[in-house]
Amino acid sequence: DFMVRYVHYVLMGLDPFDEAKMTACKKLFVETVPALYFFKIGGKLAQFLKFRKWPKFFDDVATIYMESPDLANFPEGDSTYANMTKEELAKLLSAIFSIAAIPGPSSLANVALGLSPFKATPDHRVQDIDMTTIWDTLDLNNPMEIAKYLFECGRLRTPVTASHRVVADDEDFTVTINGREHTFPPGTEIIIPMFSGMTDPKEWGPSVWEFNPNRDNLIQKSMIFNSVGEKTNGRICPGKDVSIKMLTDVLVELGKVRRSGEFDKGKPMTSTGTA
């Protein structure tokens, strides 16, 4: 609930207290799993079995986006924006919000705020790390310290676990795996396991499963935004800076509430950020 309101306020300029609009957004982004809609086969199956109101929910959200402050002056038919109409842009945004803008920051926020534990692993107890205790020690006036905290949260629980690359029609793709070269023909879909890269002891050393936001080159080597640091090769998440700034603000403001003396730290946080 909180992240839906906050993300739409930050990215679309919507009033987070407009209950009619926020309810329509929550019907899509909270009550369903809209990213499934874009799966070629699974999406149709999910819609038939459970989410039959998807078309209406998507249309309702697109209408809200069309009427939002951020799209008020959008130049329809401009070649700079692929000659899109405002409706086409609104529907494109509903897809982007479904796939990335809502689930990505929400996943990272849930870990950083102590709402969701790290995923359990067979040989490590990362799920037992008490994130709120670490959060309570952060210098809320130091944006870089908070950013490192967020990047380390993402390292141990990447918002997106894998990406992919399709080998172009006019090239072969050769990579060395376990000392042997393997060549893949054009059209091959190759999975890029970002989570494996973020927990590779060859890159992060023997403390790979420890939570340490001060580890060397954390931000420079981070893969949580579909790149390696700032080395994008054209694949970096366009919402990277917005996401980090937004979640930094969330951690600071909610952190102030936790330290105000009016918050019972003995009670667990809930998805709305309150006890």
Side-chain angles (χ1 to χ4, degrees):
D1 179 87
F2 171 77
M3 286 303 296
V4 168
R5 293 174 186 269
Y6 195 81
V7 168
H8 282 92
Y9 167 69
V10 171
L11 297 182
M12 298 302 299
L14 296 178
D15 179 356
F17 301 108
D18 186 326
E19 293 303 326
K21 292 180 179 178
M22 291 301 106
T23 296
C25 290
K26 287 187 289 183
K27 282 183 179 295
L28 177 61
F29 298 115
V30 177
E31 296 178 14
T32 79
V33 187
L36 282 176
Y37 179 82
F38 301 96
F39 283 66
K40 186 174 182 180
I41 298 176
K44 294 179 179 179
L45 184 61
Q47 181 175 343
F48 176 76
L49 294 176
K50 190 171 183 179
F51 302 125
R52 298 196 176 190
K53 292 186 177 181
W54 259 343
K56 180 182 185 306
F57 291 167
F58 273 105
D59 283 345
D60 290 345
V61 167
T63 298
I64 291 171
Y65 291 174
M66 289 173 63
E67 299 171 352
S68 71
D70 283 11
L71 266 62
N73 298 315
F74 176 71
E76 295 186 277
D78 190 324
S79 60
T80 305
Y81 306 105
N83 300 313
M84 282 192 294
T85 65
K86 188 177 292 188
E87 180 180 5
E88 289 172 332
L89 177 58
K91 289 184 176 180
L92 176 61
L93 286 169
S94 71
I96 293 172
F97 272 62
S98 298
I99 297 169
I102 295 291
S106 296
S107 173
L108 190 55
N110 284 338
V111 173
L113 296 172
L115 301 173
S116 178
F118 292 114
K119 294 179 180 179
T121 59
D123 302 318
H124 311 281
R125 300 295 302 177
V126 292
Q127 67 270 25
D128 295 336
I129 299 174
D130 185 351
M131 296 308 299
T132 54
T133 298
I134 301 173
W135 174 23
D136 288 338
T137 68
L138 297 178
D139 180 355
L140 299 181
N141 295 313
N142 188 335
M144 180 53 67
E145 182 175 335
I146 297 173
K148 289 181 178 179
Y149 173 80
L150 287 167
F151 274 91
E152 183 70 348
C153 288
R155 188 184 69 81
L156 287 173
R157 185 169 178 177
T158 52
V160 179
T161 57
S163 183
H164 75 282
R165 178 180 187 269
V166 178
V167 180
D169 292 338
D170 58 350
E171 66 171 308
D172 289 334
F173 181 77
T174 301
V175 64
T176 301
I177 302 175
N178 291 330
R180 295 179 57 190
E181 284 194 350
H182 297 266
T183 298
F184 300 92
T188 302
E189 292 188 11
I190 299 174
I191 295 296
I192 304 170
M194 291 183 285
F195 178 73
S196 296
M198 296 302 287
T199 54
D200 184 351
K202 293 181 181 179
E203 291 292 334
W204 304 101
S207 65
V208 63
W209 292 106
E210 297 175 11
F211 187 89
N212 177 14
N214 294 312
R215 65 177 64 250
D216 292 341
N217 297 314
L218 172 61
I219 295 178
Q220 291 83 349
K221 296 197 299 185
S222 176
M223 297 175 66
I224 68 174
F225 288 101
N226 203 15
S227 62
V228 179
E230 296 294 332
K231 296 185 294 184
T232 73
N233 197 27
R235 300 182 65 87
I236 198 167
C237 171
K240 173 184 177 181
D241 293 337
V242 172
S243 180
I244 291 298
K245 177 63 169 65
M246 177 176 65
L247 294 182
T248 295
D249 290 345
V250 170
L251 284 167
V252 168
E253 295 306 317
L254 294 184
K256 290 177 181 177
V257 173
R258 284 180 60 82
R259 301 177 193 189
S260 67
E262 302 176 1
F263 186 89
D264 185 354
K265 294 182 181 180
K267 293 182 179 181
M269 293 279 286
T270 69
S271 59
T272 56
T274 59

